[in-house]
Amino acid sequence: MQGLAASWRLYGRTDGVSRGVFGILAVLLPLLVWSAVSYLPFVWHPQVLITDPGGEDYLESGMRMNRADFTRAVSEMKEKNQPVPQGIATNPVYLPSPGEVLTAFVHAFTSSAPTGAEHSITQAFGHSLQIIFWGFLISSLIGVPLGVLCGALPAVARLVEPSVDFFRYLPAPAFGALAVAILGIYDAPKIAIIVIGTLFQQILVIANTTRKLDFSLIEASRTLGAKGLKLLFRVVIPGILPDLYRDQRILLGWAWTYLIVAELIGTSSGITWFITQQARYQHFDNVYAAMAIIGIVGLGTDMVLGLLGRRFFTWKREIDG
């Protein structure tokens, strides 16, 4: 209890038990709100699901309509002494219940994959993972060393950062048509969009992290004779490594946000195409299941990286799992 109380104080400490309690509540509270909206008719349920159209010609069983329109249809049938429509209160089709989404989620992993390319959530998501992996890898291979050099060498910063500052304001989707024209219509332009969306921010963030290195370390190392590459590889990079690791975790999440944009160009593929197709046919349980998979994999990846960070950099308290 003391740990829970301390968590509500400004700059208080949170112990392991409190973190577990808050973690469980963070999952349960949204689910409870969603369940209340889905299963309790008096909470929302603004529509009526028609079970019997009665004497009304334009109604069909399984059709949804607003409550006011349904009430009007019932009144009209009563005035004409004809069978009145019957229905049950329900939510719009775009808000399926947690049970329906859970069923679609389980079905994605238990059912056999249909024939053809990327016709299931898992196939589509597997393709998206490849896009994310290559996009972030290419961005990191360029952005990390360039960011470190910008932070450590003023001349490189003066030469590179003005251009990077210019390009980072250009939205990555604006490069979509150009990427397709240069790289074709398959996966290459999608990877390029993720690289463009991540690289420029990566250079500036890592350069800023490099500049924050305690300068007394640099001065002490110079006093001991370190300089050039020895100073860079033995003092600067080890000194910024925990913060560099944290930056990469944040920037990986940034790359995920550009995945949706990237998969809208070129050949239809990946989880974005799957979500678009399922929404077009009003299979919103599959849409929510696909979105849940993205969130679970993204959060799981970040948690694993956080735990690894606490093991690798035990002297940095802010590397939090």
Side-chain angles (χ1 to χ4, degrees), residues 7 16 46 68 77 80 87 91-92 101 156 165 201 228 252-253 262 282 286 296-297 303 305:
S7 301
M77 290 300 98
K80 295 178 182 177
N91 281 334
V101 174
V156 177
D165 253 333
Q201 311 295 339
L252 179 59
Q282 297 195 345
N286 287 332
I296 290 171
V297 171
M303 290 177 68
L305 292 175

Side-chain angles (χ1 to χ4, degrees), residues 18-41:
S18 301
R19 282 199 294 270
V21 171
F22 285 122
I24 294 172
L25 289 176
V27 176
L28 286 182
L29 289 177
L31 283 177
L32 288 174
V33 173
W34 186 11
S35 298
V37 171
S38 298
Y39 297 121
L40 301 177

Side-chain angles (χ1 to χ4, degrees), residues 243-261:
D243 294 328
L244 179 60
Y245 185 85
R246 181 202 56 205
D247 291 342
Q248 287 294 86
R249 282 176 60 192
I250 296 171
L251 289 161
L252 179 59
W254 208 313
W256 274 100
T257 63
Y258 280 103
L259 174 67
I260 302 299
V261 175

Side-chain angles (χ1 to χ4, degrees), residues 42-292:
F42 56 87
V43 175
W44 193 38
H45 285 48
Q47 294 186 340
V48 175
L49 178 65
I50 305 299
T51 57
D52 182 358
E56 192 63 81
D57 295 333
Y58 68 89
L59 295 182
E60 296 179 357
S61 296
M63 175 181 175
R64 296 170 192 253
M65 62 188 308
N66 293 330
R67 279 187 172 185
D69 296 332
F70 178 77
T71 303
R72 191 179 305 113
V74 171
S75 300
E76 290 175 356
M77 290 300 98
K78 284 182 178 178
E79 293 175 358
K80 295 178 182 177
N81 291 322
Q82 294 185 9
V84 297
Q86 304 292 325
I88 55 175
T90 188
N91 281 334
V93 68
Y94 58 77
L95 186 61
S97 66
E100 292 171 324
V101 174
L102 180 61
T103 302
F105 187 86
V106 173
H107 185 264
F109 291 94
T110 57
S111 62
S112 58
T115 57
E118 300 175 353
H119 284 181
S120 72
I121 297 178
T122 50
Q123 286 176 323
F125 189 68
H127 192 104
S128 296
L129 282 178
Q130 296 178 34
I131 301 293
I132 281 283
F133 172 80
W134 288 112
F136 192 68
L137 177 65
I138 294 171
S139 174
S140 297
L141 289 176
I142 302 171
V144 171
L146 197 53
V148 172
L149 289 177
C150 285
L153 292 173
V156 177
R158 295 289 181 184
L159 288 173
V160 173
E161 289 194 14
S163 301
V164 172
D165 253 333
F166 171 78
F167 280 107
R168 80 184 177 100
Y169 284 105
L170 303 182
F175 292 89
L178 188 61
V180 170
I182 296 173
L183 301 172
I185 61 173
Y186 296 105
D187 289 344
K190 305 177 195 301
I191 295 172
I193 292 298
I194 293 177
V195 172
I196 292 169
T198 310
L199 175 63
F200 303 117
Q201 311 295 339
Q202 199 169 25
I203 293 172
L204 295 177
V205 168
I206 293 175
N208 191 50
T209 294
T210 307
R211 292 191 187 99
K212 288 182 177 178
L213 179 65
D214 188 353
F215 199 70
S216 61
L217 290 175
I218 304 295
E219 291 292 338
S221 303
R222 283 174 173 165
T223 303
L224 296 172
K227 60 182 180 180
L229 292 178
K230 184 179 290 185
L231 182 64
L232 180 66
F233 285 103
R234 293 195 176 185
V235 178
V236 175
I237 293 179
I240 66 168
L241 207 51
D243 294 328
L244 179 60
Y245 185 85
R246 181 202 56 205
D247 291 342
Q248 287 294 86
R249 282 176 60 192
I250 296 171
L251 289 161
L252 179 59
W254 208 313
W256 274 100
T257 63
Y258 280 103
L259 174 67
I260 302 299
V261 175
E263 289 186 334
L264 290 176
I265 66 171
T267 305
S268 298
S269 63
I271 197 68
T272 306
W273 175 80
F274 178 86
I275 290 174
T276 304
Q277 290 296 105
Q278 296 299 313
R280 181 174 299 171
Y281 296 111
Q282 297 195 345
H283 298 159
F284 288 100
D285 50 347
N286 287 332
V287 171
Y288 282 84
M291 294 167 65

